[in-house]
Amino acid sequence: AYPGERQTMKHLETFQPDLIIEATNACNKSCRGCYAPNVIVSEQSDSNGVSNLSVAAMEHIWPNNVAISSIRGGEPTLNPAISEIIRSATKRSQHVYLETNGDWIQEGHSLLKTLSETRCSVKLSVDSMHESKKQKLAQNLGILKTAGVSVAIAVTEKAGLDFESSLSLLPSDFTGEVYLQIKATKSSDLVQPRMG
């Protein structure tokens, strides 16, 4: 247990998907310490260097017997085909997580309907690296709950006190999964999926 741990949360030490799907290398943030070699995009920038996964390519290489899949990026919601990727992944995997910084949630994104229909969970990054804010997080969680979308929280920090600081951003009534992950400082610290 962690100091000050709320008993309503389900703390899990590691997130261990069988398969990681890198939907895009594009990201709308430039978080210090991010492990991914992202292409930073904004409304004013072009998409030079952005590589988006297609549904056809994903389906072509999909392995058998996938229990847990994780769709990541960059920021996976920047791939224009993200809804189709989620629909395809949820047909081929028992459980799918969309790992996201959540910046898109308050925009009334059509992705909310896809997530609800497919029962794909959203795994929100909530930590100092992503510069998470308490009010925005509460609003995002409320929108996802209203849409009927299951939520898990990923807290990636360097040490125990940093975890406590990030956990304090969560509403007191949050009862979902919380993954506490030590910040990677070398490639062997990264999640190693069973299948790739």
Side-chain angles (χ1 to χ4, degrees):
Y2 289 83
E5 177 179 342
R6 290 179 276 184
Q7 296 305 311
T8 55
M9 288 185 211
K10 181 179 178 184
H11 284 173
L12 303 165
E13 292 291 328
T14 58
F15 178 66
Q16 192 59 57
D18 295 305
L19 183 67
I20 292 176
I21 302 155
E22 298 284 348
T24 185
N25 65 339
C27 193
N28 59 329
K29 291 190 173 219
S30 55
C31 302
R32 283 189 322 150
C34 181
Y35 69 89
N38 298 323
V39 175
I40 305 304
V41 297
S42 68
E43 292 177 15
Q44 295 82 28
S45 69
D46 58 29
S47 57
N48 288 340
V50 171
S51 178
N52 289 319
L53 176 68
S54 72
V55 175
M58 183 183 84
E59 290 175 348
H60 179 72
I61 60 171
W62 194 274
N64 292 324
N65 303 315
V66 178
I68 300 173
S69 300
S70 170
I71 301 172
R72 300 178 178 184
E75 172 51 43
T77 61
L78 295 177
N79 183 326
I82 192 62
S83 286
E84 293 81 13
I85 288 170
I86 290 169
R87 289 187 187 285
S88 180
T90 55
K91 290 176 186 173
R92 292 168 168 73
S93 184
Q94 293 172 25
H95 197 93
V96 177
Y97 289 87
L98 175 69
E99 298 198 35
T100 178
N101 60 36
D103 284 359
W104 56 274
I105 295 170
Q106 295 182 32
E107 299 171 7
H109 205 290
S110 62
L111 186 55
L112 289 170
K113 184 176 184 220
T114 300
L115 293 165
S116 177
E117 290 173 351
T118 60
R119 303 190 54 79
C120 175
S121 295
V122 167
K123 187 169 170 241
L124 281 174
S125 299
V126 177
D127 47 50
S128 58
M129 181 173 72
H130 291 91
E131 299 176 346
S132 301
K133 304 285 187 252
K134 191 169 190 159
Q135 181 179 0
K136 183 177 180 182
L137 176 60
Q139 291 168 342
N140 285 347
L141 290 172
I143 291 167
L144 292 168
K145 182 177 183 178
T146 299
V149 177
S150 172
V151 179
I153 300 294
V155 178
T156 304
E157 294 288 6
K158 293 182 246 176
L161 291 176
D162 297 323
F163 284 121
E164 285 300 312
S165 177
S166 289
L167 285 173
S168 72
L169 298 173
L170 293 173
S172 60
D173 62 347
F174 181 76
T175 59
E177 299 171 342
V178 178
Y179 293 95
L180 303 175
Q181 306 162 149
I182 299 295
K183 186 171 171 148
T185 57
K186 54 190 181 296
S187 61
S188 61
D189 292 340
L190 297 172
V191 172
Q192 304 294 320
R194 183 171 63 87
M195 295 179 170

